[in-house]
Amino acid sequence: MKYSISVLGEDERFSCNADQHLLQGMQAYRIGMPMLRLIPVGCRGGGCGVCRVRIVSGDYEASKMSRKHVTEQEQAEGIALACRVYPSSDLEIELAPRVQVEKNSE
Amino acid sequence: MRKGVMRPGHVQIRVLDLEEALVHYRDRLGLIEVGRDDHNRAYLKAWTEIDRFSVVLRQAEEPGMDFMGFKVTGPDVLQQRKQELIDYGCVVETIPAGELDGCGERVRFDSPTGHFFELYAEKEQTGKWGISERNPEAWPEALKGMRATRFDHCLLYGEDIDGTSALLQQVLGFQLSEQVLDRDNGDLRVAAFLACSMKAHDVALVRHPENGKFHHASFYLETWSDVLRAADLISMHDIPLDIGPTRHGLTHGQTIYFFDPSGNRNEVFTGGDYTYPDHPVVTWDAEQLGKAIFYHHRQLNENFLGVVT
Ligand code: FES
Ligand SMILES: [Fe+2]
């Protein structure tokens, strides 16, 4: 199942499978287009915090992530690390960075 | 001047899921699983290491490094260094033998960059894994994954790297082997590579606004083709790649970086420079940092610089 993901303030959206985390969906190949860099990419293991986002609307599953970057309460309020988020509907998200790196990953 | 600190002996790494982490460190890196304890910890070693373990994985709510331990030459040296650490002003804690399975008494101390280090003199010696002590064969055939040969060093991030360097040099006899200086900033030291042995480094420090951060734990491979083979395994198992295979300017090691399932960075590398006590410090300029870190691309990578646990 493919869902459509949009990032607040960005025109481009991307699609993401239910068994892919958001960064995998974002980095998928698109014919003739540069790779999307809407969300910063770091460790892809829920550890470094650079991909921190807030889910504005939609349903998703989140796997275990560092409590240093997302507290239990924040998680209940929709904060998550994008590399640990698996969509189960279309999602609208916004960046919620606390650790700053530029969006220039490979 | 060396002070009886021999080598990095262990690192305790926090992981989000112990079973997932074990698959990574055992089956991908190729470390040998040697046991578990009742504190949710798993113990592993690389096959050429003679002591019982070198990597301890602890399941926790946030990844990162708990501490890095160095082995000293004997119990007398341990007590001397402990007293000197106290005199130097460190917060020193003595951890009784057996708290880590098979490890003797440990002397744990804090550092200006917020990292915890340990010294210990004794650990159960189980010998190299899979080969006999007498007439040893070249390598054991049963190795898995990248076949890491030893835990080699850690790179740690924090603010006052001069403070931690001074502590390691003055109290523990480390030698500054390489450094990065920022000429535009009054030669501010941006990175310090320190050796207690003949290696290019046994621990490295990079200046960073947040203290106590863990950049990577590194493991040694035998050859450049083993590094390329590690890269193949990283693709085969869809392991998040950071960068490489490439060469560093600093220490000139040939290397590849990737992440464990909890986002802790690992390195496997081979080759590189060596350090004798009379070697002058090798200096790189911060304006050349791209080449200093990635000798081929010669371009800084924000992820490598900024992503830590
Ligand atoms: S990329 Fe590091 S937490 Fe998501
Ligand atoms: Fe390294």
Side-chain angles (χ1 to χ4, degrees):
Chain A
M1 192 62 195
K2 262 195 194 312
Y3 299 108
S4 171
I5 317 295
S6 62
V7 181
L8 234 64
E10 305 273 1
D11 297 333
E12 289 183 287
R13 23 176 74 227
F14 59 90
S15 62
C16 187
N17 286 329
D19 63 351
Q20 285 182 314
H21 63 69
L22 295 186
L23 300 184
Q24 286 172 320
M26 180 186 79
Q27 293 190 305
Y29 174 66
R30 305 175 306 153
I31 299 167
M33 309 261 271
M35 195 169 73
L36 277 178
R37 291 180 178 169
L38 305 173
I39 311 167
V41 177
C43 68
R44 289 150 281 168
C48 72
V50 308
C51 66
R52 196 168 179 272
V53 294
R54 194 170 74 83
I55 317 292
V56 181
S57 67
D59 301 322
Y60 58 97
E61 303 284 329
S63 56
K64 193 172 175 185
M65 48 191 132
S66 175
R67 282 280 171 247
K68 180 180 166 52
H69 299 296
V70 182
T71 63
E72 241 168 292
Q73 187 183 342
E74 287 170 334
Q75 190 168 347
E77 291 162 1
I79 298 285
L81 300 175
C83 64
R84 304 301 252 189
V85 171
Y86 298 83
S88 38
S89 78
D90 291 351
L91 295 181
E92 192 180 6
I93 65 174
E94 73 180 335
L95 301 186
R98 270 203 316 222
V99 182
Q100 297 281 0
V101 297
E102 281 168 31
K103 289 186 267 179
N104 74 339
S105 68
E106 308 275 297
Chain B
M1 191 192 58
R2 301 282 189 254
K3 291 195 165 189
V5 178
M6 282 194 291
R7 61 166 176 266
H10 56 239
V11 59
Q12 183 166 304
I13 299 171
R14 296 188 299 274
V15 297
L16 294 174
D17 183 296
L18 193 59
E19 298 310 319
E20 233 177 54
L22 263 170
V23 169
H24 175 85
Y25 285 91
R26 180 191 57 213
D27 301 343
R28 308 298 174 242
L29 268 160
L31 302 179
I32 315 300
E33 182 181 356
V34 296
R36 309 257 185 131
D37 67 15
D38 41 23
H39 304 283
N40 254 329
R41 295 186 296 195
Y43 296 66
L44 304 100
K45 70 180 278 176
W47 76 269
T48 70
E49 292 166 343
I50 56 170
D51 287 346
R52 179 164 183 274
F53 67 86
S54 59
V55 173
V56 183
L57 305 174
R58 179 171 76 86
Q59 182 160 310
E61 293 302 308
E62 17 178 299
M65 183 188 85
D66 280 333
F67 51 80
M68 179 183 184
F70 294 94
K71 192 175 193 187
V72 302
T73 48
D76 296 352
V77 171
L78 184 65
Q79 294 316 316
Q80 285 160 15
R81 294 298 86 82
K82 175 178 168 179
Q83 191 53 51
E84 289 163 11
L85 285 164
I86 294 168
D87 296 344
Y88 194 79
C90 295
V91 177
V92 175
E93 184 190 355
T94 304
I95 297 161
E99 198 277 332
L100 279 171
D101 266 351
C103 187
E105 180 178 290
R106 289 135 64 207
V107 172
R108 184 181 297 175
F109 55 101
D110 67 343
S111 67
T113 45
H115 300 96
F116 288 93
F117 297 103
E118 297 184 345
L119 302 178
Y120 65 96
E122 281 160 346
K123 194 182 278 180
E124 189 190 334
Q125 291 209 337
T126 47
K128 293 184 184 182
W129 183 84
I131 56 169
S132 53
E133 221 162 285
R134 209 148 166 170
N135 311 314
E137 302 297 351
W139 37 266
E141 289 187 71
L143 293 172
K144 288 190 198 165
M146 302 176 191
R147 308 172 187 148
T149 67
R150 67 165 186 253
F151 162 53
D152 190 88
H153 64 268
C154 287
L155 173 56
L156 307 173
Y157 270 35
E159 176 101 57
D160 182 12
I161 61 167
D162 290 330
T164 298
S165 298
L167 164 66
L168 293 173
Q169 287 174 265
Q170 288 168 32
V171 186
L172 303 181
F174 280 70
Q175 177 178 355
L176 185 67
S177 57
E178 306 212 4
Q179 61 181 352
V180 180
L181 299 181
D182 185 358
R183 272 204 272 216
D184 299 338
N185 235 317
D187 266 354
L188 181 73
R189 189 174 286 117
V190 183
F193 289 66
L194 296 132
C196 63
S197 65
M198 243 189 79
K199 287 153 53 190
H201 59 323
D202 291 291
V203 61
L205 305 165
V206 167
R207 193 178 290 276
H208 183 75
E210 199 181 349
N211 268 346
K213 304 308 281 182
F214 178 49
H215 188 274
H216 68 263
S218 183
F219 300 86
Y220 197 76
L221 302 183
E222 226 182 309
T223 67
W224 171 234
S225 78
D226 288 322
V227 176
L228 300 180
R229 193 175 161 280
D232 291 339
L233 286 160
I234 286 167
S235 288
M236 284 180 202
H237 295 284
D238 216 4
I239 296 169
L241 174 70
D242 190 23
I243 197 145
T246 183
R247 185 195 281 278
H248 287 304
L250 283 150
T251 74
H252 296 125
Q254 297 154 310
T255 180
I256 186 165
Y257 289 91
F258 49 98
F259 294 98
D260 81 5
S262 310
N264 296 301
R265 192 186 277 94
N266 296 153
E267 172 185 32
V268 291
F269 82 109
T270 190
D273 300 329
Y274 57 88
T275 311
Y276 277 114
D278 64 339
H279 279 195
V281 182
V282 175
T283 300
W284 282 81
D285 290 316
E287 67 218 36
Q288 293 274 334
L289 198 60
K291 186 173 180 180
I293 300 180
F294 305 117
Y295 192 66
H296 301 145
H297 283 72
R298 281 166 282 140
Q299 235 172 50
L300 287 179
N301 166 322
E302 282 297 328
N303 277 2
F304 187 83
L305 294 180
V307 170
V308 285
T309 53

